[in-house]
Amino acid sequence: MIWLVWRQHRRQALFAVLGLLALAAFVVPSGLGMRRSYDDLGLGCIQAAGDGDLPGTCLDAIRTFTSQYSIEGSLSILLMFVPMLIGIFWGAPLVARELEHGTHRLVWTQGVSRRQWAVAKFGLVGGFTLLVALVFGFGVSWWMAPLNTAGIPRFDVFNFDVGGLAPVGYTLFALALGIVGGSLWRKVLPAMAASLVVFIGVRVAVTAFARPHFAAPVERGTSVEVLDTGVDPLAGDWVQGMEVRAADGSLLMDHASTVCNPGADDCGSMTGAVNWVMYQPGDRYWMFQLIETGIYVALAGVLLWFAFRRVRQLA
């Protein structure tokens, strides 16, 4: 059965390896180039400054670096689609193609039980998908590391979704979704279309409504007479809300902050006011990654359980 699965899916495996090699052909030279530029511009000043203020020369170097590699940062938008495409294009045909061509009847009457067939198919393809997703996720994380250190936040949706463990969860979820879609619609293209719609819907829902609440945000208030709000973008802090409150706690401005220099300005109603910020510290990045990956892996597990049951009922 293992040999049969390999023969059926070796072309997909070959394309996956070629795709990873093509990605590596861009990511590795680009990543090494970014690291050389990072060192040449003296951006070690970011770590050297610690929690203190960055000198002007360091800020200039950061602006030069991020401007030089702005295109690379934008490419992460395209990489967001990779887990979805891998999962759906591998998952949907896994069952649907057999049903569409009627070959499942031949397999299940040749001494191979439906359970054995499903375990071999789902297990081997799922294991290879997991390996590809791990290489992709941590490869992109390595590539983006200099940009993240220079101030492009890891919590940004276009960075969070393509690096670390998150692509593993997305890819396995898309794979399981495609398998279930194939077992329900019995044809490859409708299964792909349905899986795509559901995948996008779930991803948007989790990103917009669940992720911001994985942990209670840190709340910090500083006087409007102080420029520093205590949030450090270079550390990857994710600002979720800002507002200006009066001394009595009433809201003066929402989704904004302000500065009043009492030595030069008439603060007026802002006297005693506080800039209030709600944010997720950058050191929670991996906790959020684990939570989100766990959600999608759990969803994938439920879908695969349903697919196993569905295969046993197919005629």
Side-chain angles (χ1 to χ4, degrees), residues 197-276:
V197 171
V198 175
F199 180 86
I200 292 175
V202 173
R203 287 278 286 107
V204 170
V206 172
T207 301
F209 303 111
R211 186 186 298 170
H213 305 290
F214 286 166
V218 174
E219 298 189 17
R220 184 190 299 271
T222 55
S223 170
V224 295
E225 299 177 8
V226 178
L227 183 60
D228 185 13
T229 61
V231 176
D232 185 2
L234 292 176
D237 293 347
W238 174 21
V239 176
Q240 294 182 313
M242 300 183 73
E243 56 192 31
V244 181
R245 299 180 185 176
D248 60 3
S250 59
L251 182 65
L252 295 177
M253 301 170 62
D254 197 10
H255 306 295
S257 62
T258 188
V259 177
C260 173
N261 184 350
D265 304 325
D266 179 11
C267 294
S269 62
M270 292 295 175
T271 302
V274 174
N275 283 316
W276 202 260

Side-chain angles (χ1 to χ4, degrees), residues 51-201:
D51 295 331
D53 294 334
L54 294 175
T57 53
C58 191
L59 293 173
D60 290 339
I62 291 172
R63 283 190 287 268
T64 300
F65 180 77
T66 53
S67 175
Q68 180 180 353
Y69 291 102
S70 59
I71 295 178
E72 280 78 357
S74 301
L75 286 176
S76 61
I77 299 174
L78 298 178
L79 296 176
M80 287 181 64
F81 297 99
V82 173
M84 175 186 71
L85 295 176
I86 291 175
I88 290 177
F89 274 86
W90 289 3
L94 205 61
V95 176
R97 181 170 289 132
E98 300 274 6
L99 298 174
E100 196 170 6
H101 296 164
T103 54
H104 64 293
R105 297 187 182 91
L106 176 63
V107 174
W108 294 341
T109 57
Q110 297 297 316
V112 177
S113 69
R114 299 182 185 214
R115 181 177 178 276
Q116 290 175 315
W117 180 87
V119 168
K121 278 266 193 177
F122 300 172
L124 292 175
V125 174
F128 185 73
T129 302
L130 173 63
L131 179 61
V132 170
L134 283 169
V135 173
F136 172 82
F138 285 99
V140 173
S141 290
W142 174 84
W143 176 58
M144 292 290 294
L147 290 170
N148 296 147
T149 306
I152 296 180
R154 292 190 297 176
F155 271 117
D156 181 88
V157 65
F158 298 124
N159 291 330
F160 186 93
D161 292 6
V162 298
L165 290 171
V168 174
Y170 305 150
T171 308
L172 292 178
F173 173 63
L175 179 74
L177 201 57
I179 292 172
V180 170
S183 69
L184 292 174
W185 272 270
R186 295 172 172 254
K187 293 184 181 296
V188 174
L189 291 181
M192 284 183 173
S195 301
L196 180 64
V197 171
V198 175
F199 180 86
I200 292 175

